[in-house]
Amino acid sequence: QLQLQESGPGLVKPSETLSLTCTVSGDSITSHSYYWGWVRQPPGKGLEWLGSIYFTGSTHYNPSLQSPVSMSVDTSKNQLSLRLSSVTAADTAVYYCARLGLDSSGYYHYVFDFWGQGTLVTVSS
Amino acid sequence: QSVLTQPPSVSGAPGQRVTISCTGDRSNIGAGYDVNWYQQFPGTAPKLLIYGNNNRPSGVPARFSGSKSGASASLAISGLQTEDEADYYCQSYGSSGSVFGRGTKLTVL
């Protein structure tokens, strides 16, 4: 059974770097059928896509993000990672990792079909 | 930055049918990209409810249905039940990547 588990510090100071890891079990992140991604949700607000990554390291990031973002994969550990630099209070949110399946055209991965439980990250001094 | 427009809230009585609209533009839904819908209960992760405009993942009741026309899409819930009370998000794809609506809170009266 597929499971995604986010982990990382729950508190980050302003201007520092937010780093999270998502451990995938029940599926291999080297599957050719899926991308893997990150979505966040500020308290009481909606969902925001942060970016997606393929096991080869190919990435797509949300260009509207205020804080620089980077993602990576560690295929030996079946993990993906998220780094958000120079964070501010606006980056306070629940961060979810998710698996992305193909759309009906078979060309684009943007169906978030499985989600982790999420982890709350608070940016505060 | 949400580029898909949803009503903030909808409501209905048990047994009724409700619809939630999702409006995009020519750069996303109107460009032919699929619309997906997610259901989220307080304190839990979103769950895929509808994918590819009108397909239900295994385990999703048939009273949930989706449709798409032009640059808009709709989620319909028939035979409303109290356990359907949740937040619903539409999502699609565009020139900048995945985009979500701001969400609609469904209240079952």
Side-chain angles (χ1 to χ4, degrees), chain A residues 13-30:
Chain A
K13 289 182 169 54
S15 80
E16 295 189 345
T17 297
L18 180 160
S19 296
L20 296 175
T21 296
C22 175
T23 301
V24 179
S25 57
D27 192 10
S28 172
I29 63 170
T30 61

Side-chain angles (χ1 to χ4, degrees), chain A residues 12-82:
Chain A
V12 180
K13 289 182 169 54
S15 80
E16 295 189 345
T17 297
L18 180 160
S19 296
L20 296 175
T21 296
C22 175
T23 301
V24 179
S25 57
D27 192 10
S28 172
I29 63 170
T30 61
S31 168
H32 287 71
S33 301
Y34 300 102
Y35 266 68
W36 305 85
W38 292 90
V39 174
R40 70 180 178 183
Q41 184 172 35
K45 297 188 178 180
L47 303 169
E48 180 180 34
W49 169 70
L50 300 181
S52 307
I53 186 167
Y54 198 50
F55 76 94
T56 57
S58 174
T59 53
H60 301 279
Y61 299 138
N62 184 339
S64 69
L65 294 176
Q66 297 297 315
S67 300
V69 62
S70 66
M71 297 177 187
S72 60
V73 293
D74 186 334
T75 56
S76 67
K77 296 181 179 179
N78 221 37
Q79 291 177 335
L80 55 153
S81 297
L82 169 73

Side-chain angles (χ1 to χ4, degrees), chain B residues 25-96:
Chain B
D25 58 36
R26 290 180 297 178
S27 70
N28 41 66
I29 300 175
Y33 295 109
D34 290 347
V35 177
N36 308 308
W37 291 90
Y38 303 86
Q39 178 188 56
Q40 185 181 35
F41 297 106
T44 69
K47 167 193 164 186
L48 180 64
L49 193 66
I50 297 288
Y51 67 95
N53 306 317
N54 55 17
N55 299 290
R56 286 175 288 105
S58 174
V60 173
R63 52 198 188 77
F64 291 92
S65 63
S67 64
K68 173 191 162 184
S69 177
S72 297
S74 290
L75 172 70
I77 310 171
S78 59
L80 203 58
Q81 299 183 5
T82 55
E83 57 261 37
D84 297 333
E85 187 161 291
D87 293 325
Y88 294 85
Y89 293 88
C90 64
Q91 177 250 336
S92 186
Y93 193 76
S95 54
S96 299

